[in-house]
Amino acid sequence: MAAQLVELEENFFNCPICLDSFKDPKLLPCLHRYCRGCVKPEVDKSDDKVKCPLCKQECDKPTDGVDGFKTDFHTRNVVEYIQLKKSVAAEEVRKCIGCSNELQVAAFCFKCRGFICRKCHEIHENSGMTRDHKEHILALKDVKDKHLTLEKLGSLKEAPSCSEHPEKLAEICCVDCDNLPICVVCGQYENHKGHTIRGVRELAAEERKKIEHSMKALREQDGNVRGFPAKLAEARKSLEVNITETKARIRSQYNKEVGKLNEKERESVGLLAKHKAEIDRKEREVVADLNRQRERELKTVNDKYDKCVSEAKAKAADERGGKDTAASKTKDMLTKKRSYLENELSDSFSSVDHQGNTNMKTFGELSDQSTHRIQRYDNFVAVVTSVLASRDHWTDVSCLPDMNVSSKQLIEDAKKEFPEIAALSKVTTKAITPVFAPKANPSPVIKRDDFKSEADYDKYVKEHLRIGMTVRCRKANQGVRVRDTGKVIGFSIPNFNPTCRWQRLGGTRCVAYSVVEIVDQGIQVGSKVRLQQSAVNPGRDQEGVNPRTVGRVTATDGKNCTVVFPTKKQWKGLLSDVEQVLLLRRSAFQDDGSYSAYVRDTIGDGMAVRCYKHDGMARVGYTGRVIRMDESDPGQLPIEVEWQRQGGTQWVKHSSLEILGLRLLSVGDTVRAKQDITYIHRTICKKGGTGQITGIVDGRKCNVHFVGLGRALTVFFSQIELSS
């Protein structure tokens, strides 16, 4: 700690405002120092708070203005030494305070506050009258040889004067008055009687111990403070890359949709030309036929055939006009969709730019905070190191308490991690909305309401009912309740009554064909299916798909199909190898027993489930994903579930679960609102609004950042669905 003063004099003891040596230096709570005259204008123009010109930290304005801030005696002493050193280096002729001659001086007496020559130096040290000055004399040779340390300079100084009796030297400190230097008389008999009085050496040792502990804690945060700008720069770079990639993705989507519009427009023009050509062809054929017939007929019927020709031409003209009108409407529709697509592109770019500018502004604010924090950190370390190096008890007592107080806030600031910079490096926006909805397979099912009588509909059902179709019971029959849904698995001869596997009943039952209505034609694109048990062949590779795995049909030609399974993204096989799975809500069943039987027959690997009955450690509301099933006990059918929010897996009974869907919603999924989402009678997000899941709250709720909102909303899983 015996630091040479020459290491600090040029870089540390200049006022940041006037850039000259300190004059009556004042110490602010943030440990930055300024000349009294330099900082006084800043203090005078402030109201209740004074802002440090360097680090911008605010502190309370003292009642007596700039004089209310402590004078930095340590810095003032070092500045005196620097000025003394400059004087010696210039070899100036000085007046000796002993002999009053103008000559080359050899020492400086801090007790007499003056220079002395070589002869008077010897007399000064040996004379009985000035013998006590010996400890306070600085030989100028030490200054020239640069052997003077902060510790030695502190020992040359006299103790400060008593604050109440300036003619006396301070001997003790009043702790209650902010370690004020006082004499023994003040401490025992006058203003400070009854206060906490401490010896300067004991108090200095205690303050040094505190500041060393604070310095140790602060140095442990050195890497965190100095490494933060690198983290900030990395996050800023990630934001710039994200903005570029997002714009490129949106531009690609835009170009793709524009291509669809152009293709549709070409199709419309081609179809119009084709229709016109067909009409012209028909017209020519009709006219030619009529002309040939007219030539064969008698002249007396020419008028009749002329009329027929006119009617044919008029009909063709009407049809041609109708096609022109349809083509015009199609063109108007395409123009509107193109305009909407361009507006959506502009909105998406504006959203990305707005988020990017906002995040960049926040990065700038964080960068300024980081710069100020590093400046405060470096200033604190330099000041404390300088004070500790002086080993002057009075300086320790005066400065170290304030430094200990400042170190606590500085340590808290140094520990701050700023976790929000990860979120600031990202931008989100909705995808370009497709201009044409995906084409769905038309359903050839004719509804019961389309028939004039029950008998007509019964005849239609008998003629069109096939194995694999889904039917609904419309009249209670053979123990099957009204509205129970089932799949046709066979027929009884000769009445042609269907045998179905019923969902609510939990088994198979043959009913009269007159009590059912056809719901759909069986497996189509979008249907949920699984592999039939009869299709499982030990010698045939099913590629990880088993009868308990449920997937979604993505393509079918009436004979073959393509299915997306959790374990196989593009499974291809025959339609006869799979069977349809209907996902029904628990509310559709009359009792828990029927629903339990439905779950046992329907549940498959990877499905999303919710616990609706306490089962062991599983509580109502837990959501999770099916891992596997123990089919060795088909009655209970234990199921291993990986819980989404709680973590870990657990075996539960199938009767404790309800099926939510083919898979769980997770962070990153794009979802849409199934209904208007309101808060305190105010609609926050309308039905159909899209967004992205940013976090899972628990088994019932999640956080969703909807497009157009500045923050994420906490919603129930029941209020949203996966967006296709």
Side-chain angles (χ1 to χ4, degrees), residues 355-454:
Q355 294 180 53
N357 293 336
T358 301
N359 292 358
M360 284 295 187
K361 182 178 179 181
T362 305
F363 276 136
E365 295 173 355
L366 291 176
S367 180
D368 292 342
Q369 294 180 22
S370 174
T371 300
H372 292 157
R373 185 167 64 159
I374 292 174
Q375 290 176 350
R376 290 174 55 201
Y377 176 89
D378 291 338
N379 176 70
F380 182 87
V381 172
V383 172
V384 172
T385 301
S386 172
V387 172
L388 293 178
S390 71
R391 292 192 175 277
D392 179 60
H393 301 315
W394 291 106
T395 300
D396 293 347
V397 169
S398 175
C399 299
L400 294 186
D402 292 334
M403 294 180 182
N404 271 313
V405 172
S406 298
S407 69
K408 294 179 181 178
Q409 181 61 42
L410 195 58
I411 291 172
E412 291 298 322
D413 291 345
K415 290 180 179 179
K416 191 173 181 181
E417 293 291 342
F418 296 95
E420 62 269 27
I421 64 174
L424 290 174
S425 66
K426 300 178 180 179
V427 292
T428 59
T429 186
K430 68 175 182 178
I432 295 294
T433 305
V435 292
F436 299 111
K439 293 184 179 179
N441 290 340
S443 175
V445 176
I446 303 177
K447 297 182 180 180
R448 180 161 55 93
D449 296 339
D450 296 333
F451 291 84
K452 295 181 179 180
S453 65
E454 292 285 341

Side-chain angles (χ1 to χ4, degrees), residues 200-384:
V200 64
R201 292 181 180 275
E202 177 188 0
L203 188 57
E206 182 178 321
E207 295 294 345
R208 278 178 170 272
K209 187 174 181 181
K210 291 180 181 178
I211 198 65
E212 287 172 357
H213 178 74
S214 297
M215 287 291 289
K216 180 180 178 182
L218 190 59
R219 286 193 176 99
E220 290 175 355
Q221 303 300 324
D222 184 87
N224 188 32
V225 172
R226 299 189 185 279
F228 180 75
K231 293 181 181 179
L232 200 61
E234 182 178 355
R236 188 195 300 270
K237 182 177 179 181
S238 176
L239 173 61
E240 293 172 350
V241 172
N242 199 342
I243 290 173
T244 302
E245 291 177 351
T246 301
K247 285 188 174 182
R249 185 176 68 254
I250 294 173
R251 173 63 69 181
S252 175
Q253 293 175 347
Y254 169 78
N255 293 335
K256 184 177 180 181
E257 297 303 322
V258 168
K260 292 179 181 179
L261 283 174
N262 294 336
E263 180 64 24
K264 190 67 176 179
E265 188 173 19
R266 288 192 294 271
E267 290 178 2
S268 177
V269 172
L271 188 61
L272 175 61
K274 182 179 179 181
H275 287 163
K276 286 184 177 181
E278 180 66 18
I279 293 171
D280 292 341
R281 185 188 63 81
K282 290 180 179 179
E283 179 186 7
R284 289 192 299 271
E285 291 178 354
V286 171
V287 172
D289 289 342
L290 291 173
N291 285 333
R292 285 191 296 270
Q293 184 178 2
R294 183 180 58 181
E295 291 174 357
R296 290 193 302 266
E297 294 291 339
L298 297 174
K299 185 174 177 56
T300 56
V301 295
N302 283 341
D303 293 340
K304 174 183 177 181
Y305 290 105
D306 289 341
K307 182 179 179 181
C308 291
V309 171
S310 299
E311 290 177 352
K313 289 185 176 182
K315 181 179 180 182
D318 291 341
E319 291 181 0
R320 191 180 294 110
K323 294 299 180 181
D324 286 335
T325 302
S328 177
K329 290 182 178 178
T330 302
K331 185 175 181 180
D332 292 342
M333 179 270 292
L334 294 177
T335 301
K336 291 180 180 179
K337 286 186 177 290
R338 190 189 304 275
S339 175
Y340 173 81
L341 191 61
E342 291 174 351
N343 291 336
E344 191 170 13
L345 174 67
S346 176
D347 293 343
S348 297
F349 274 14
S350 298
S351 176
V352 171
D353 290 337
H354 175 71
Q355 294 180 53
N357 293 336
T358 301
N359 292 358
M360 284 295 187
K361 182 178 179 181
T362 305
F363 276 136
E365 295 173 355
L366 291 176
S367 180
D368 292 342
Q369 294 180 22
S370 174
T371 300
H372 292 157
R373 185 167 64 159
I374 292 174
Q375 290 176 350
R376 290 174 55 201
Y377 176 89
D378 291 338
N379 176 70
F380 182 87
V381 172
V383 172
V384 172

Side-chain angles (χ1 to χ4, degrees), residues 475-499:
K475 296 178 183 178
N477 185 258
Q478 300 296 325
V480 181
R481 298 179 179 179
V482 176
R483 300 192 63 77
D484 197 352
T485 305
K487 180 180 179 181
V488 178
I489 59 175
F491 297 94
S492 65
I493 304 299
N495 297 327
F496 204 72
N497 291 328
T499 301

